[in-house]
Amino acid sequence: MNLFNENNASVHLIPSDPNATFYILPNGIGKDRRTIFSNAIQHFHLQLVASPENARFILADEQFDLPKVFSILKLDLSESEEKSLPIVIQIKWLTDSLKEKNLVPLTKDYIFRTPLIRKKTMPSFSQEPVIEEKKTIKNKPKRRLSDDQPQGGCATQVKQRRYSSDDDNNDMMEDYNDTVKNPFKNGELPKGNWMCSMSSQTAKKNTEINKDIIDKLQAMADLYNKTNDKWRAYSYQKAITTIRRCTKRIDSYEEIIKLPGIGESLAKKIWEIIDTGSFEKLEDFQSSEYMTAINLFGNIWGCGPNIAKHWYDQGFRTLNDVRTKAKLSQNQTVGLKYYDEFLERIPRDEVAEIEAVVKEHALALVPGLTIQTCGSYRRGKATCGDVDILITHTDGISHQGLLIPIIDSLRKCGFLTDDLVLSDKYEEDSGSHVKYFGVCLLPGENRKHRRLDIIVIPHNEYACALLYFTGSALFNRSMRNLAHQYNMYLSQHRLNTGVIRKNNSKINMGTPLYTPTEESIFKYLNLPYRPPEERDH
DNA sequence: GCCT
DNA sequence: CAGTACG
DNA sequence: AGGCCGTTACTG
């Protein structure tokens, strides 16, 4: 069922990035066959190159073996440690794919084996603060709460892969697969601090070590988020996730400034917190009448930086001012009504209760629906800010027009108390997203009003929607940004490749990739798979 | 705010 | 369209 | 200098 299970040591599709280039070795392949193969390459949106030097992958006839291919190409097998030699694949892979009308998994059976004996180990990265991730697929039944223990120092640098000591033959194949999985130069990601490539689990364990620093920075980020200075807030947020990953108490300016995503300005502020125990800028903000009001107003659902500022300019300072004097939108009215309740976290168990209610009503309408609670709940958090429920149906049809009936059913029994956002374009053709944002209340004593988000999506978008709705927000942005680097784009609907942008606007939308599972999306992006618990940045 |  | 929101 | 997620989705 799961085509992308991690033990099959295969690659499903080659990411269509500029480096995933293919060359067809003409030897032993007739002209007609060559034409067919060329067309196939293009048909599958792979990049064909005219000369072997530029090719990451060589497609060759099965009559050859690896030394023969390399001799034709005038390449020296023994140089493989220094150079990154192309991967030689049997042309059968392409013919099989044509037969299936889809790229078939690039299993090791398709790859020409090498007789070569590899050198020992790569130089170690002793200078790196820490190497976080060195997970290899090899004989490891997936471990969820991975103990990817950093070697000390701050977990900052990401090395996608490391050549660990290899003394058995299997490693060779493993390396090949690894290379195939990462057609990028040396299998590394593009330059940058890609948090979507890292596990958030290390951060989870280190909540106490630098807590004072994190709390103060978070307070600043929260405040900046309620102003129009969203990029500054973004930087603070990224800095926080970096510090979370540090396994030791930060105690010198030099190590702070080295951390990715932390520059001079933030380093100084962090050092101030360490050195003096206080953060002047934050205290200024917290004692500022303006920031206090902005923060107060900004916690009303539906009130952003601009409305908050507007209200402040009108002289409003308290929630009562807003309640009595401000012109409130529908959403802001609801937001104000449940001001305190919406600021509270929801215990995990209660999320499960809410999920059960929604499931009951939805399944009563259409049996066999796939209903998955996402968000921080799926990421395994003990408490959640709201409840995010994704609904689809494997038949690809039964989801249509389903949202309104579900909402009606939930409303009728008193479970839903207020609506915030309710899209009504459920009659549109496939692909259309349908979402509901509202407020629910479980029956019984001492219950609180909770934010509930429901999306209903066509099944062919399940993986992208699941990925999106599971988050975290920073994780999504990081992953989408990475896709952007590959001339792809990732949204809650699809992962497209071959996108052409001009001045940051898309000229060519590219073509959608087949994304049956979340795993497939990670693979396309050269990322190690991260289960939901590891996306909690 | 940080990064290319 | 600007504003706000979702992960 | 200019990007930082999404041709995201919804409200008014």
Side-chain angles (χ1 to χ4, degrees):
Chain A
M1 155 109 189
N2 184 3
L3 297 171
F4 291 82
N5 110 48
E6 59 188 51
N7 293 324
N8 69 4
S10 73
V11 182
H12 264 248
L13 297 172
I14 307 303
S16 65
D17 79 82
N19 292 326
T21 47
F22 291 79
Y23 173 76
I24 300 173
L25 192 69
N27 304 45
I29 303 178
K31 193 184 172 192
D32 290 348
R33 281 181 79 209
R34 236 150 50 204
T35 308
I36 293 169
F37 296 148
S38 301
N39 292 339
I41 294 280
Q42 289 167 26
H43 175 258
F44 291 122
H45 307 292
L46 305 172
Q47 194 186 331
L48 186 66
V49 291
S51 81
E53 293 88 60
N54 305 324
R56 192 83 192 98
F57 302 95
I58 306 287
L59 289 162
D61 194 273
E62 288 78 26
Q63 65 177 279
F64 302 114
D65 58 11
L66 200 64
K68 178 69 180 170
V69 171
F70 274 73
S71 88
I72 295 171
L73 293 173
K74 300 191 173 74
L75 288 172
D76 189 353
L77 262 175
S78 62
E79 291 178 14
S80 65
E81 295 92 344
E82 288 77 26
K83 288 197 219 164
S84 64
L85 292 173
I87 315 301
V88 185
I89 305 168
Q90 295 180 5
I91 200 76
K92 188 171 183 300
W93 175 64
L94 208 51
T95 55
D96 286 354
S97 297
L98 282 171
K99 237 177 284 176
E100 297 288 323
K101 294 179 178 163
N102 248 322
L103 285 181
V104 299
L106 184 47
T107 59
K108 59 183 178 187
D109 295 334
Y110 286 115
I111 299 172
F112 282 84
R113 286 199 66 95
T114 166
L116 106 102
I117 292 155
R118 295 180 63 250
K119 240 190 345 195
K120 258 315 189 187
T121 317
M122 294 281 283
S124 69
F125 302 92
S126 55
Q127 286 297 55
E128 307 285 359
V130 84
I131 289 139
E132 204 268 328
E133 186 57 47
K134 56 166 211 173
K135 211 179 283 179
T136 47
I137 294 173
K138 165 180 174 182
N139 70 26
K140 276 284 188 278
K142 59 183 154 189
R143 1 175 239 175
R144 274 305 161 93
L145 302 178
S146 58
D147 41 8
D148 38 12
Q149 194 67 282
Q151 272 80 339
C154 297
T156 59
Q157 299 289 338
V158 189
K159 279 286 170 285
Q160 271 305 303
R161 51 201 288 256
R162 251 196 344 164
Y163 294 88
S164 50
S165 65
D166 47 348
D167 22 31
D168 57 347
N169 292 336
N170 282 341
D171 259 40
M172 198 153 57
M173 206 57 239
E174 183 185 321
D175 259 10
Y176 257 97
N177 282 328
D178 203 16
T179 313
V180 173
K181 272 201 329 210
N182 299 288
F184 272 72
K185 38 175 185 183
N186 296 327
E188 292 182 12
L189 296 173
K191 192 168 182 184
N193 181 22
W194 303 104
M195 81 180 84
C196 58
S197 72
M198 315 180 204
S199 170
S200 60
Q201 289 298 120
T202 44
K204 194 178 172 184
K205 301 174 201 157
N206 308 324
T207 47
E208 297 302 321
I209 306 166
N210 294 298
K211 188 172 187 302
D212 55 333
I213 301 169
I214 291 165
D215 287 350
K216 284 190 164 58
L217 293 180
Q218 188 64 62
M220 276 302 276
D222 291 344
L223 289 175
Y224 275 127
N225 254 323
K226 291 181 174 56
T227 72
N228 271 321
D229 209 343
K230 56 177 177 175
W231 297 123
R232 200 178 305 269
Y234 184 70
S235 282
Y236 271 79
Q237 204 62 61
K238 289 191 70 168
I240 289 165
T241 69
T242 298
I243 294 173
R244 278 220 166 84
R245 304 172 59 75
C246 293
T247 53
K248 71 179 274 295
R249 173 66 186 179
I250 302 174
D251 51 13
S252 79
Y253 179 86
E254 288 69 30
E255 71 181 310
I256 302 170
I257 195 76
K258 268 191 253 175
L259 298 174
I262 297 181
E264 193 180 339
S265 179
L266 270 172
K268 279 180 183 166
K269 293 178 169 65
I270 293 165
W271 180 245
E272 180 193 347
I273 296 170
I274 295 167
D275 195 29
T276 71
S278 60
F279 186 1
E280 193 177 347
K281 182 93 175 174
L282 174 63
E283 288 165 11
D284 287 349
F285 274 17
Q286 288 174 336
S287 60
S288 148
E289 184 180 23
Y290 176 72
M291 290 306 287
T292 303
I294 291 291
N295 189 40
L296 187 71
F297 299 161
N299 282 329
I300 299 171
W301 204 95
C303 173
N306 291 308
I307 304 292
K309 181 177 186 305
H310 184 234
W311 287 344
Y312 182 86
D313 290 342
Q314 290 184 309
F316 307 155
R317 295 291 181 274
T318 66
L319 290 183
N320 202 45
D321 288 341
V322 171
R323 189 172 2 250
T324 54
K325 301 175 203 164
K327 183 182 187 308
L328 292 168
S329 74
Q330 203 87 30
N331 289 342
Q332 289 154 1
T333 307
V334 177
L336 195 54
K337 187 170 160 190
Y338 303 114
Y339 188 89
D340 294 318
E341 284 170 280
F342 284 178
L343 285 175
E344 288 188 46
R345 305 282 302 175
I346 311 172
R348 204 180 159 71
D349 292 348
E350 192 183 329
V351 175
E353 288 186 70
I354 292 168
E355 173 191 48
V357 173
V358 175
K359 265 188 177 170
E360 180 193 336
H361 284 252
L363 290 173
L365 288 168
V366 178
L369 288 171
T370 302
I371 302 173
Q372 171 69 57
T373 302
C374 303
S376 49
Y377 180 80
R378 184 159 181 253
R379 297 201 305 272
K381 302 281 278 185
T383 66
C384 307
D386 65 358
V387 183
D388 309 294
I389 299 180
L390 186 160
I391 300 177
T392 187
H393 196 290
T394 47
D395 69 9
I397 298 167
S398 303
H399 68 281
Q400 292 178 38
L402 205 66
L403 184 68
I404 306 298
I406 291 175
I407 298 308
D408 283 345
S409 176
L410 289 169
R411 193 185 284 132
K412 205 154 113 189
C413 69
F415 181 65
L416 296 178
T417 63
D418 303 83
D419 301 332
L420 290 165
V421 170
L422 176 48
S423 88
D424 54 356
K425 54 171 197 168
Y426 57 90
E427 206 52 75
E428 242 173 70
D429 40 15
S430 56
S432 83
H433 231 129
V434 183
K435 70 157 76 165
Y436 171 82
F437 294 169
V439 187
C440 69
L441 183 66
L442 284 164
E445 297 291 305
N446 299 322
R447 293 297 198 173
K448 281 164 182 161
H449 291 85
R450 305 299 195 186
R451 283 274 297 102
L452 172 64
D453 298 349
I454 300 175
I455 60 175
V456 179
I457 55 127
H459 195 260
N460 65 319
E461 296 181 4
Y462 184 54
C464 288
L466 195 59
L467 188 70
Y468 153 71
F469 221 31
T470 299
S472 66
L474 280 185
F475 181 89
N476 286 351
R477 293 173 71 168
S478 173
M479 202 155 166
R480 290 170 179 211
N481 192 188
L482 179 61
H484 191 123
Q485 305 291 318
Y486 294 158
N487 286 324
M488 297 170 150
Y489 81 78
L490 175 63
S491 75
Q492 50 267 60
H493 297 295
R494 63 192 85 87
L495 173 63
N496 270 29
T497 186
V499 178
I500 302 171
R501 294 173 171 88
K502 181 189 70 178
N503 297 339
N504 226 0
S505 74
K506 300 185 183 66
I507 289 182
N508 185 318
M509 237 37 359
T511 52
L513 290 163
Y514 177 57
T515 53
T517 62
E518 288 183 312
E519 285 90 336
S520 70
I521 300 169
F522 282 84
K523 284 190 178 173
Y524 282 124
L525 299 174
N526 291 325
L527 289 169
Y529 176 68
R530 297 291 172 204
E533 311 83 57
E534 298 184 16
R535 307 175 202 162
D536 196 45
H537 297 280

